[in-house]
Structure formats: structure tokens, C-alpha cells
Amino acid sequence: MSRCERVTMNRYTNSMENEPKIAGRNICAVITANADYSLSPAMHNSAYEATGLADRFVYVARSTSADELNGVIQEVRSNENYKGLSIGVPHKQTIMPLLDVIDDAAKKIGAVNTVVINRDNGKPTLSGFNTDWIGIREPLRQRVDLKGKRVAIVGAGGAARAAVYAVLQEGADVKIYNRTLKHAQFLGVEFGCQAGSLDELSEIVDANVIIHATKLGMSKDDPLPIPAEFIQPNHVLFDVVYDRRNPETDLAKAAKQKGATVIEGREMLLWQGVEQFRLFTGHNAPVEVMREAIL
Ligand code: NAP
């Protein structure tokens, strides 16, 4: 069994002070409510092995409830081995007041999914970043030049905010569609783009790119979030929903049947992780190794 597998299986949820395998190494950790299903340890530890960094870095999973977040961050400040954190649901907003610095993209998106810890004479500085938007930008960049393209974003929650930010950075023309119209309108005003309700969704036949960012698709019983009749062969459809127990969503399946170019949620997971690896280690990430690890 490789070190990567050992570390992945050996996830601990409490203090790590007495864990011999991590002694002396930089610790990176995913902090999320239920870390049992996180693919991040496998993805990052594989990358450390492939780049010869495994003697200096280890990545662990820490299931952390909302009540535990403050204590975990205090521990991160005081344990000089901590180098980086990946922040998952439900902490992406609540972590923000606990940090020392937040970068502009994370401020605009309103969420932090990455924390880098630097120490100057032992004094820790916790800096917050958002790499989710890069997880949306990179797979799109590989398939389409977004400048001037019509992009329909379905959903108005956290993932949609990252998507809106990403495609506006690339010069796209954006309309947000959401179940609760006022949530879409709020985002539209904030980012300066159009907003509509799901009743207007038939308009997406004229879009170049569709990004689906609602919660629908996590469960097998969920209805299709976008009627298949609206999906065209010339569409690029990015379904950000990803569940490792059910990796191909019904929407992705339906869009492939329609002949659309489909980007699945694991691509977002991969590319946000690629950027995290660079922020944590200062090295370029071994993308294909990380892709293999999450597959
Ligand atoms: P969120 O902030 O809670 O937002 C949820 C969104 O889903 C809202 O727009 C909500 O609409 C909509 N929604 C919920 N139930 C719905 C229903 N029954 N019908 C229609 N719309 C519904 O959640 P989030 O953090 O943005 O996450 C959204 C999705 O992105 C999740 O599936 C998550 O797994 C995925 N995600 C993937 C990655 C990745 O790496 N691949 C990263 C982050 C998130 P209302 O405004 O009307 O409530």
C-alpha cells in the first residue's frame, strides 16, 4: 500500500499532535462537516508523492462541525506544522472573519475555500483564497473562448457566485436563472449581469455555454434541473454537481445524448485542487496524477 493510500485511509478527526507519520512535515487538511467522502486527501497526497514532496507534505481530512471551527483554527495557528487548509461546506463563509488576510477574488465571491498559513518568526498569518472559480474557468478555457459568448448560469448559491465571477473575468455575457428569482436578481445587481427565473429557462437554447450550479443531481431521485429539450448539440454544458458515489449526473448523461460538449463536476474539483497545490507548495501541480487520483 502506498503512503498516499495509508494517509487517505488514516483520517483523524481530533488533535494530530501524537501522529508519528506526520511529524516534521507540513500539514495540509480539508476542513469540512463530513470529510469521509472527500477526495482531496487522495488527490493531494498523490500529487506530493509524484513531485517528490511527500517527505515534506502530508494532507489529512478533518471532519469539523460549525461549533468546532473556531477551536480547529486556533489549533492551526498554534501548531507550526500547518501549511494549508481546504475549506468545505458549511465553513466557506464562516471561516472569513477568522482569517488575517483575504484576497480580492475571495472577497468578491464572498467565500474562502483555501487558506495558506505563513509564519514570520513563529507568528502565523492565515490568508484566505477562493480557487473554486479557477476550477470553473480552467475546464471552460480548454474548450471555448468565452469572450463575448452568451453564458447561462442556473443557480444562485455559492457555486454559482464562483461561476459568475469566473466567466465575467473571461469577458462573457451572463444571465443567471434561479428558482428563487430574488436570489438571482441580487447576484445580477452585485455582478452587473442579467437575472431571471426558471420560467425563462427556454431562452438557454440561444446560449453558447450553460453552467448548472443548483443542488439538483446530488441524489438519484432528483428531477433534471434543465429540461433536455433545451440542450443543443452546439452547447458547452458544465454541470458542477459532483458526488463520488454517483459521478455522472443525469444532466450530464442527457446532455451527452444531445451531442453537447459536457464538462463534469469532477473537473471543477480537479482544477480548484491544482491551484490549491500551487498555493500550498509553491510548485506546479502534476495534473494528470491528480486526475487519476480522483477517478
Ligand atoms: P447553495 O449555496 O446552497 O445554493 C444552492 C442552489 O441550488 C440555489 O441556487 C438554490 O436555489 C438551488 N436549489 C436548491 N434546491 C433546488 C431545487 N429543488 N430546485 C431548483 N433549485 C434548487 O449550494 P452551492 O454551494 O452553490 O452548491 C451547489 C452545487 O454545486 C452542489 O451540488 C455542490 O455539490 C456543487 N459544487 C461542486 C463543486 C465541485 O468541486 N465540483 C464545488 C462546490 C459546489 P434557491 O436560491 O431558490 O434556494
Side-chain angles (χ1 to χ4, degrees):
M1 189 184 286
S2 71
R3 178 186 292 147
C4 156
E5 287 163 318
R6 278 200 315 271
V7 171
T8 304
M9 290 167 68
N10 180 19
R11 295 177 183 156
Y12 18 93
T13 53
N14 300 316
S15 167
M16 291 182 271
E17 281 164 19
N18 299 320
E19 176 55 55
K21 280 200 282 293
I22 64 175
R25 285 195 270 167
N26 290 301
I27 303 168
C28 298
V30 54
I31 306 282
T32 189
N34 181 358
D36 288 348
Y37 293 108
S38 175
L39 291 168
S40 294
M43 181 167 67
H44 284 275
N45 284 315
S46 301
Y48 300 153
E49 294 231 328
T51 50
L53 291 170
D55 290 338
R56 289 173 43 210
F57 282 86
V58 62
Y59 191 105
V60 299
R62 295 195 67 174
S63 289
T64 304
S65 69
D67 290 345
E68 291 167 335
L69 184 64
N70 250 301
V72 168
I73 295 305
Q74 275 171 30
E75 185 191 329
V76 167
R77 282 187 185 279
S78 59
N79 182 337
E80 63 181 21
N81 288 354
Y82 270 104
K83 184 63 192 162
L85 303 174
S86 307
I87 308 298
V89 175
H91 308 309
K92 290 185 184 187
Q93 283 89 35
T94 47
I95 187 91
M96 294 175 80
L98 307 179
L99 304 175
D100 305 306
V101 184
I102 296 177
D103 96 320
D104 288 343
K107 271 189 205 150
K108 181 72 185 163
I109 294 165
V112 160
N113 79 325
T114 305
V115 177
V116 176
I117 302 110
N118 289 307
R119 291 176 202 274
D120 187 10
N121 289 325
K123 184 176 177 293
T125 301
L126 273 60
S127 303
F129 299 88
N130 188 303
T131 68
D132 281 338
W133 73 275
I134 294 173
I136 289 170
R137 184 191 68 184
E138 287 307 308
L140 284 169
R141 265 192 182 171
Q142 290 164 10
R143 289 157 176 93
V144 58
D145 177 1
L146 285 168
K147 192 162 174 52
K149 297 291 190 313
R150 289 183 299 277
V151 177
I153 296 180
V154 184
R161 289 182 72 90
V164 172
Y165 181 84
V167 299
L168 285 176
Q169 291 288 314
E170 298 292 289
D173 176 12
V174 180
K175 183 161 179 179
I176 303 157
Y177 301 85
N178 194 49
R179 177 180 64 174
T180 308
L181 176 60
K182 67 174 185 227
H183 294 166
Q185 287 169 330
F186 185 81
L187 217 59
V189 169
E190 197 179 335
F191 284 92
C193 47
Q194 298 175 73
S197 75
L198 297 181
D199 294 340
E200 297 164 57
L201 211 50
S202 62
E203 293 172 1
I204 69 173
V205 295
D206 295 325
N208 303 107
V209 174
I210 301 164
I211 303 177
H212 169 245
T214 80
K215 283 192 182 298
L216 290 178
M218 297 289 287
S219 158
K220 275 267 173 221
D221 303 327
D222 283 346
L224 217 53
I226 297 170
E229 70 207 75
F230 299 159
I231 302 170
Q232 309 298 312
N234 61 318
H235 281 151
V236 174
L237 184 139
F238 194 160
D239 189 1
V240 307
V241 173
Y242 184 66
D243 180 351
R244 69 185 287 188
R245 294 159 293 184
N246 172 26
E248 192 185 40
T249 61
D250 288 346
L251 178 62
K253 275 187 208 140
K256 281 177 194 169
Q257 275 166 13
K258 286 284 190 164
T261 301
V262 176
I263 307 172
E264 295 180 45
R266 61 182 166 218
E267 286 283 302
M268 178 177 173
L269 177 72
L270 170 67
W271 287 99
Q272 64 77 33
V274 163
E275 179 64 5
Q276 280 185 340
F277 179 94
R278 192 186 67 74
L279 288 167
F280 293 161
T281 67
H283 293 263
N284 287 330
V287 178
E288 290 314 314
V289 169
M290 293 172 80
R291 193 192 297 278
E292 270 295 298
I294 60 174
L295 288 177

